[in-house]
Amino acid sequence: MGIEINGTASGAAPRPGQCLRTFLREQGNTGVKKGCDGGDCGACTVHVDGTPVHSCIYPAVRAEGRSVTTIEGLAGTAGGPLHPVQQQFMERQGFQCGFCTAGMVMTAASFDDAQKDNLPRNLKGNLCRCTGYRAIADAVCGHPGHPDPGGPGSGIAGEGQPDPAPGRLGDDVPAPASRAVVTGAARYTLDLPKEEQQGLLHLKILRSPHPHARVLSIAKDAALNVPGVVAVFTSEDAPEQLFSTAQHELFTDDPDDTRVLDDVVRFIGQRVAAVVAESVAAAEAGVRALQVEYEELPAVFSPQEALLPGAPLVHGDKDAVKARISRPERNVVAELHSELGDVAGGFAGADFIHEQTYQTQRVQHVALETHAAIATVDDDGRLQVRTSSQVPFLVRRTLCRVFGLEEDRVHVVAGRVGGGFGGKQEVLTEDLVALAALKLKRPVQLELTRTEQFTATTTRHPFTIKLKAGAAKDGRLTALQLDVVTNTGAYGNHGPGVMFHGCGESLAVYKCANKKVDAQSVYTNAVPAGAFRGYGLSQMIFAIESAMDELASGIGMDPLEFRRRNMVREGDHMLSTQPQPEEDVHYGSYGLDQCLDLVRDALDRGSERYRQAGLEDLGPDWMVGEGAALSMIDTVPPRGHFAHARLRLLPDGTYQADVGTAEFGNGTTTVHAQLAATALSTEASRVAVRQSDTDLVEHDTGAFGSAGTVVAGKATLEAAEELAVRIRAFAAGIRQTQASACVLDGDAVVVDGTRVALAELAQAAEEAGVDLAAEGRWGGTPRSVAFNVHGFRVAVNRGTGELKILQSVQAADAGVVVNPRQCRGQIEGGIAQAIGATLYEEVVVNDDGKVTTDILRQYHIPTFADVPRSEVYFADTNDTLGPLGAKSMSESPFNPVAPALANAIRNATGVRFAQLPIARDRIYLGLKEAGLVPAEAGAVR
């Protein structure tokens, strides 16, 4: 018996033990995704005889004699009408990166009306890391969507009708890849056609079982004798060049402390050797056959212990100057010491002083597409790399640096990327596949497992923040003093940047004359930390915004009013750790006051709604409170962030935009099309965007630091504006009139009242030898600032520690919102991710340095049932620095959520929780310590 796939009998038979997911992908059904291989995420969902199953845990042999439907076959005929659920996901933009979407659609396509009425239960097997689930709910149930924000006070998510407008600034333009995403045709990193998989080798990694050890010897023979194994690579085969996996415009921002393969390992999970084979199974067998002799070395896991004299040295073998490490002899990667004003005098003049140590934890990005890359060497000897990366141009530069190659000998492409959140601003797979491909002259693929993501990539930096803050009775903030220790883990990738950035805008948003900061980024023998949404700000803001509430309480003032009196206003110097503000950071626009008002008004309306519905009184066991927090972020990373774009009029009268920035759910593809369409007075659907390919444009620093709109977007806008000028000038020339008499309009130029088709102009230009194209560049400076304010109303059960989020609201100053639906989705996704990081997400490292939360079933990310339906509002501002008035809004929604939630819990219970995550058991124990747990509840426990 064979397996019928999408109505056609498959001539292939599954291998013994093969799961249905890998079998289906081998048959060309690449819409079936791998997110976990444990039945936890749902990205691989298909129908077997009409019933949805997780194909990663469904034995392929069980499908013999059955009918299997994948996302490619859901609608029936290719290119024909979509299934209603696919259509709804496309119309309501029920996705961002889209990696989970095929599985989500397959699950929802099986629902009856009763199942749609209980999505928290029936979507629990499908995870999304990007959207926050509101857009998914609208898509599954056919809800109308949300309104055009218009101005201040508008924009409650979930109301109104979807805007079918096709086009320009401020329209809800659908993502260009919408149809491809909902049909499974979108190509992510490993979604190669079957013919391109011929001869593909697979690489697997032997990883260290020790937190710190020297590799004395590796016996390869047994591995090389495994059938199918082609090669084994160790430190003896790796370049000596040290580098950082972190990727920035200036590689000198990060320490050179990493080798492709090293003979010293510094955390459990670090690479020891790589096995390349004809199949994944053979490569894994080869890894198991390797025999390694280690010399175990002393290890240290706490940054506080790592700072002590005599502590084991993680990188004691490094030259501080050459490697750019502050003090390797004390495990200090980077440090900052600053004092502005008279801090002692500020505390002397305070009427109330708050002192507290705040702690944040490791959090994993959990992008549903794991890190993956394919490398090959073409017939001309050029290295070709296809990778899941936010920074393809910086990957190329790093590979050239490590392997001693010229840039024109390396070509890097990022297809559609399945989520990033900063985790793919690293080189974690590309160097190994490049090493193997250069040695073997055959294509080599590496795909990390979900467990490798948790144990061997990067996390958010844990922070320990000793804070002291003072306030006067009149509401003045008199002094701020912080002692900050960050745990960068075994390698310093992003350690300096996260520390410096975290201490930046978190302090600069308050105009306190007396500020002191001592900060250190410290090595430990644990899984490395790296870039994560917010880049240090979320950790620091948790402490500072918690302290603002404590100060307000101490002097008897409303917390939002206390903030209003102390926050920077337009024209104020933004001072954090330097006596002068950063010269290139300006108020391109200012909407923080509006954001405070929007959140205050929304919380007041919510309170009234609950009061009228009789829901404020939940019973004697429930304590209700509200809290808020604010944040500020520079809209572009410092020291240069560069972009280059090209726009061209095509023969058919449409446009082609070439940009360098990557698409991973951040929506930049849509934004570039809209910006270009606005400048060219056409529709976004007439602008085809090609991107994230190092052969397309000169350079692009990358899609991080929320730079996709405000840097790459400015380059695209400049190119589009110049192209518009050239088209009008050419039209004027052939019609012998003035350029001022020529107006672009959709698919034509109106010349003295007559429409001349762009296709006609393109043909005339070709005949005349004129290239109707233009280029744009932007260097990321000057920079503006964006603001976010979040508010919560919560209920806490005094007997169990259970927390209910009754209301969630965020107001954002995003300047002119290019695409309201898309920007709202970024905010909702940031809120959802931050709620997870606040309440339960934690990468746990045990006393031996081993990550114990190494699968999704042990690491809880928000499910549909966990995420409240947040209200989202936009301030009415127009930024003078951003493209057409826009500002960034990818990272910043995450930042104020944790302190706002902690402040709401404090307001409800009177207990300050200063350690993340604020899990239910911690709430219960905190209430118990405060004497708030009823005696009978305590007795039961």
Side-chain angles (χ1 to χ4, degrees), residues 533 790 792 808-810 826-836 867-868 870-872 893-894 897:
R533 198 174 198 165
H790 201 97
F792 283 105
S808 170
V809 54
Q810 186 165 135
Q826 289 290 307
I827 294 170
E828 291 168 342
I831 293 169
Q833 195 173 47
I835 286 174
V867 181
S870 294
E871 303 169 39
V872 177
F894 185 100
V897 172

Side-chain angles (χ1 to χ4, degrees), residues 167-173 674-675 677-678 816-820 883-886:
R168 304 177 190 173
L169 188 73
D171 292 336
D172 284 337
V173 178
Q674 286 182 261
L675 291 173
T678 301
V816 174
V817 182
V818 178
N819 188 311
L884 301 180

Side-chain angles (χ1 to χ4, degrees), residues 250-268:
L250 301 175
F251 73 82
T252 51
D253 281 356
D254 303 284
D256 282 343
D257 57 8
T258 304
R259 277 187 71 194
V260 175
L261 290 167
D262 207 337
D263 60 357
V264 175
V265 290
R266 295 173 172 88
F267 71 98
I268 294 176

Side-chain angles (χ1 to χ4, degrees), residues 749-837:
V749 178
V750 180
V751 184
D752 291 328
T754 302
R755 293 182 67 84
V756 180
L758 288 173
E760 179 183 332
L761 278 180
Q763 181 178 353
E766 183 180 5
E767 293 171 354
V770 175
D771 187 15
L772 288 180
E775 300 183 34
R777 293 173 176 81
W778 185 245
T781 184
R783 302 179 286 155
S784 187
V785 286
F787 301 98
N788 296 76
V789 177
H790 201 97
F792 283 105
R793 173 168 286 100
V794 303
V796 181
N797 188 294
R798 69 178 72 244
T800 65
E802 181 184 354
L803 173 75
K804 291 182 179 180
I805 297 176
L806 305 179
Q807 186 181 10
S808 170
V809 54
Q810 186 165 135
D813 174 16
V816 174
V817 182
V818 178
N819 188 311
R821 178 191 287 128
Q822 186 170 276
C823 189
R824 188 180 310 276
Q826 289 290 307
I827 294 170
E828 291 168 342
I831 293 169
Q833 195 173 47
I835 286 174

Side-chain angles (χ1 to χ4, degrees), residues 203-279:
L203 187 151
K204 283 295 180 179
I205 301 168
L206 173 68
R207 298 189 178 276
S208 171
H210 305 295
H212 200 189
R214 188 178 309 279
V215 179
L216 300 179
S217 66
I218 301 178
K220 303 179 182 179
D221 290 348
L224 290 170
N225 288 330
V226 172
V229 170
V230 174
V232 175
F233 297 109
T234 69
S235 62
E236 295 176 352
D237 306 292
E240 293 290 338
Q241 175 67 54
L242 293 174
F243 68 104
S244 175
T245 63
Q247 302 298 293
H248 288 107
E249 178 61 33
L250 301 175
F251 73 82
T252 51
D253 281 356
D254 303 284
D256 282 343
D257 57 8
T258 304
R259 277 187 71 194
V260 175
L261 290 167
D262 207 337
D263 60 357
V264 175
V265 290
R266 295 173 172 88
F267 71 98
I268 294 176
Q270 182 171 333
R271 308 163 172 183
V272 174
V275 176
V276 182
E278 300 286 350
S279 68

